[in-house]
Amino acid sequence: GGIITQTPKFLIGQEGQKLTLKCQQNFNHDTMYWYRQDSGKGLRLIYYSITENDLQKGDLSEGYDASREKKSSFSLTVTSAQKNEMAVFLCASSNWVSSYEQYFGPGTRLTVL
Amino acid sequence: GQQVQQSPASLVLQEGENAELQCNFSSTATRLQWFYQHPGGRLVSLFYNPSGTKHTGRLTSTTVTNERRSSLHISSSQTTDSGTYFCAIERSSSFSKLVFGQGTSLSVVP
């Protein structure tokens, strides 16, 4: 078994601030993902990384940067926090071969004041 | 337009009742997956079911690929089934990019 951890669990920032969310997995998975979930809505893909040193934009990448520091970790940066970005950010990982089986972390809840 | 549509948006059941959740998708999907999101937020995979019928416990998923629809049946519901159920597809042209529906919020009351 394995686990995905996300830090912090809650993140409060000021409008215009640069904020970083972190994700770690110990599944030894190749692929990692960042999703955003707005209240009452489904998940939307922000960035993903197929393997270490790879970075791919999702459907919602504008206003975000991502970094795959090593195989087990994937960070997401909100470049300039906006009030309409109050949402939950979910990290996931999957195997290269069975990419459909994505495992999710508990999420980081972002509040922008 | 919306690529994955789920219905109903919300559902309230009496404990012991059955539920049928629907998922319709507008584009060709190579993969289809059902997820359950705990009220606390963690998302877990229930089924990977691109076609046919799969069972696990009180849950049954049926996907009819050529009709671009899938259903999730919950039998003898329990209060612990409460939460949000998501359907997600992987588009044939997009490796590992899941597209999620809006979810069905289920509340099972005693």
Side-chain angles (χ1 to χ4, degrees):
Chain A
I3 193 165
I4 296 181
T5 55
Q6 291 186 237
T7 54
K9 189 171 173 64
F10 298 96
L11 181 57
I12 300 174
Q14 299 288 331
E15 196 169 13
Q17 195 176 354
K18 184 174 175 180
L19 301 166
T20 299
L21 294 69
K22 293 187 182 294
C23 176
Q24 297 266 351
Q25 52 95 3
N26 64 0
F27 289 100
N28 199 34
H29 282 164
D30 299 294
T31 308
M32 295 186 74
Y33 313 78
W34 274 107
Y35 291 91
R36 170 177 157 168
Q37 184 178 24
D38 293 280
S39 180
K41 304 250 176 98
L43 281 66
R44 289 182 288 174
L45 184 64
I46 306 172
Y47 267 99
Y48 65 108
S49 168
I50 296 174
T51 61
E52 195 175 350
N53 298 318
D54 175 75
L55 202 57
Q56 305 281 342
K57 290 184 177 181
D59 299 319
L60 202 66
S61 60
E62 192 171 331
Y64 301 94
D65 284 327
S67 172
R68 186 80 182 269
E69 298 89 1
K70 49 187 178 181
K71 189 174 183 180
S72 62
S73 66
F74 193 31
S75 297
L76 179 74
T77 298
V78 181
T79 54
S80 177
Q82 303 296 315
K83 279 195 184 292
N84 64 4
E85 285 191 287
M86 295 171 65
V88 175
F89 292 82
L90 292 163
C91 174
S93 70
S94 68
N95 212 319
W96 168 265
V97 172
S98 57
S99 65
Y100 59 86
E101 193 144 28
Q102 294 187 18
Y103 295 83
F104 283 79
T108 292
R109 185 173 294 275
L110 173 66
T111 301
V112 181
L113 303 177
Chain B
Q2 182 71 20
Q3 295 192 46
V4 183
Q5 289 190 307
Q6 292 185 244
S7 60
S10 62
L11 186 59
V12 179
L13 295 178
Q14 204 78 39
E15 198 168 19
E17 289 183 324
N18 300 334
E20 183 104 349
L21 282 56
Q22 301 291 341
C23 174
N24 292 277
F25 41 97
S26 57
S27 59
T28 305
T30 52
R31 293 168 173 167
L32 185 139
Q33 199 165 355
W34 282 96
F35 291 90
Y36 166 68
Q37 187 170 38
H38 292 266
R42 188 179 282 274
L43 211 70
V44 295
S45 176
L46 296 174
F47 290 104
Y48 162 67
N49 188 19
S51 66
T53 298
K54 292 194 173 182
H55 303 275
T56 181
R58 295 178 293 102
L59 304 180
T60 302
S61 169
T62 300
T63 299
V64 183
T65 312
N66 60 358
E67 294 182 14
R68 297 183 179 173
R69 60 179 176 87
S70 182
S71 64
L72 179 67
H73 186 264
I74 305 171
S75 62
S76 304
S77 62
Q78 301 174 0
T79 56
T80 50
D81 295 330
S82 298
T84 306
Y85 293 80
F86 289 100
C87 169
I89 65 167
E90 183 176 300
R91 294 171 294 197
S92 57
S93 60
S94 302
F95 166 76
S96 74
K97 286 176 69 173
L98 284 177
V99 177
F100 283 76
Q102 303 280 67
T104 292
S105 175
L106 175 65
S107 183
V108 182
V109 297

PDB file of all heavy atoms in Angstrom, chain B residues 3 11-12 21 26 39 53 77 80 90 96:
ATOM      1  N   GLN B   3     -18.832  17.636 -21.226  1.00  0.00           N
ATOM      2  CA  GLN B   3     -18.471  16.341 -21.782  1.00  0.00           C
ATOM      3  C   GLN B   3     -18.986  15.190 -20.956  1.00  0.00           C
ATOM      4  O   GLN B   3     -19.192  14.100 -21.479  1.00  0.00           O
ATOM      5  CB  GLN B   3     -16.956  16.255 -21.925  1.00  0.00           C
ATOM      6  CG  GLN B   3     -16.402  17.247 -22.934  1.00  0.00           C
ATOM      7  CD  GLN B   3     -14.968  16.949 -23.259  1.00  0.00           C
ATOM      8  OE1 GLN B   3     -14.609  15.807 -23.497  1.00  0.00           O
ATOM      9  NE2 GLN B   3     -14.147  17.968 -23.242  1.00  0.00           N
ATOM     10  N   LEU B  11     -29.506  13.629  -4.286  1.00  0.00           N
ATOM     11  CA  LEU B  11     -30.450  12.551  -4.012  1.00  0.00           C
ATOM     12  C   LEU B  11     -30.484  12.308  -2.514  1.00  0.00           C
ATOM     13  O   LEU B  11     -29.432  12.260  -1.861  1.00  0.00           O
ATOM     14  CB  LEU B  11     -29.970  11.294  -4.741  1.00  0.00           C
ATOM     15  CG  LEU B  11     -30.815  10.042  -4.753  1.00  0.00           C
ATOM     16  CD1 LEU B  11     -32.165  10.311  -5.380  1.00  0.00           C
ATOM     17  CD2 LEU B  11     -30.082   8.940  -5.526  1.00  0.00           C
ATOM     18  N   VAL B  12     -31.707  12.164  -1.984  1.00  0.00           N
ATOM     19  CA  VAL B  12     -31.867  11.824  -0.566  1.00  0.00           C
ATOM     20  C   VAL B  12     -32.597  10.491  -0.494  1.00  0.00           C
ATOM     21  O   VAL B  12     -33.648  10.311  -1.119  1.00  0.00           O
ATOM     22  CB  VAL B  12     -32.662  12.903   0.195  1.00  0.00           C
ATOM     23  CG1 VAL B  12     -32.823  12.502   1.663  1.00  0.00           C
ATOM     24  CG2 VAL B  12     -31.967  14.250   0.094  1.00  0.00           C
ATOM     25  N   LEU B  21     -27.452   5.986 -10.109  1.00  0.00           N
ATOM     26  CA  LEU B  21     -26.816   7.234 -10.528  1.00  0.00           C
ATOM     27  C   LEU B  21     -26.416   7.085 -11.993  1.00  0.00           C
ATOM     28  O   LEU B  21     -25.914   6.039 -12.400  1.00  0.00           O
ATOM     29  CB  LEU B  21     -25.570   7.499  -9.675  1.00  0.00           C
ATOM     30  CG  LEU B  21     -25.763   8.056  -8.260  1.00  0.00           C
ATOM     31  CD1 LEU B  21     -26.655   7.194  -7.397  1.00  0.00           C
ATOM     32  CD2 LEU B  21     -24.409   8.238  -7.587  1.00  0.00           C
ATOM     33  N   SER B  26     -20.273  12.852 -23.785  1.00  0.00           N
ATOM     34  CA  SER B  26     -20.512  13.297 -25.151  1.00  0.00           C
ATOM     35  C   SER B  26     -19.382  12.949 -26.112  1.00  0.00           C
ATOM     36  O   SER B  26     -19.555  12.971 -27.311  1.00  0.00           O
ATOM     37  CB  SER B  26     -20.746  14.805 -25.191  1.00  0.00           C
ATOM     38  OG  SER B  26     -19.638  15.482 -24.629  1.00  0.00           O
ATOM     39  N   PRO B  39     -17.384  12.895   2.698  1.00  0.00           N
ATOM     40  CA  PRO B  39     -17.728  14.256   3.137  1.00  0.00           C
ATOM     41  C   PRO B  39     -16.499  15.050   3.576  1.00  0.00           C
ATOM     42  O   PRO B  39     -16.459  16.262   3.435  1.00  0.00           O
ATOM     43  CB  PRO B  39     -18.703  14.007   4.300  1.00  0.00           C
ATOM     44  CG  PRO B  39     -19.339  12.695   3.974  1.00  0.00           C
ATOM     45  CD  PRO B  39     -18.254  11.885   3.311  1.00  0.00           C
ATOM     46  N   THR B  53     -20.403  -4.803 -17.043  1.00  0.00           N
ATOM     47  CA  THR B  53     -20.916  -4.687 -15.678  1.00  0.00           C
ATOM     48  C   THR B  53     -19.905  -5.216 -14.678  1.00  0.00           C
ATOM     49  O   THR B  53     -19.286  -6.254 -14.913  1.00  0.00           O
ATOM     50  CB  THR B  53     -22.238  -5.477 -15.545  1.00  0.00           C
ATOM     51  OG1 THR B  53     -23.200  -4.906 -16.435  1.00  0.00           O
ATOM     52  CG2 THR B  53     -22.771  -5.417 -14.128  1.00  0.00           C
ATOM     53  N   SER B  77     -29.074   0.934   0.644  1.00  0.00           N
ATOM     54  CA  SER B  77     -28.193   2.036   1.034  1.00  0.00           C
ATOM     55  C   SER B  77     -28.046   2.143   2.555  1.00  0.00           C
ATOM     56  O   SER B  77     -28.956   1.797   3.332  1.00  0.00           O
ATOM     57  CB  SER B  77     -28.726   3.356   0.476  1.00  0.00           C
ATOM     58  OG  SER B  77     -30.010   3.632   1.002  1.00  0.00           O
ATOM     59  N   THR B  80     -23.580   5.439   5.755  1.00  0.00           N
ATOM     60  CA  THR B  80     -22.168   5.609   5.408  1.00  0.00           C
ATOM     61  C   THR B  80     -21.937   5.750   3.907  1.00  0.00           C
ATOM     62  O   THR B  80     -20.816   6.035   3.480  1.00  0.00           O
ATOM     63  CB  THR B  80     -21.339   4.432   5.929  1.00  0.00           C
ATOM     64  OG1 THR B  80     -21.966   3.217   5.515  1.00  0.00           O
ATOM     65  CG2 THR B  80     -21.252   4.458   7.447  1.00  0.00           C
ATOM     66  N   GLU B  90     -11.718   9.238 -19.610  1.00  0.00           N
ATOM     67  CA  GLU B  90     -10.460   9.613 -20.241  1.00  0.00           C
ATOM     68  C   GLU B  90     -10.742   9.683 -21.730  1.00  0.00           C
ATOM     69  O   GLU B  90     -11.184   8.702 -22.319  1.00  0.00           O
ATOM     70  CB  GLU B  90      -9.369   8.608 -19.939  1.00  0.00           C
ATOM     71  CG  GLU B  90      -8.019   9.007 -20.511  1.00  0.00           C
ATOM     72  CD  GLU B  90      -6.928   8.039 -20.117  1.00  0.00           C
ATOM     73  OE1 GLU B  90      -6.683   7.874 -18.913  1.00  0.00           O
ATOM     74  OE2 GLU B  90      -6.333   7.426 -21.016  1.00  0.00           O
ATOM     75  N   SER B  96      -4.167   9.871 -20.011  1.00  0.00           N
ATOM     76  CA  SER B  96      -4.260  10.073 -18.570  1.00  0.00           C
ATOM     77  C   SER B  96      -4.946  11.371 -18.144  1.00  0.00           C
ATOM     78  O   SER B  96      -4.808  11.801 -17.013  1.00  0.00           O
ATOM     79  CB  SER B  96      -2.888   9.982 -17.914  1.00  0.00           C
ATOM     80  OG  SER B  96      -2.098  11.116 -18.176  1.00  0.00           O
TER      81      SER B  96
END
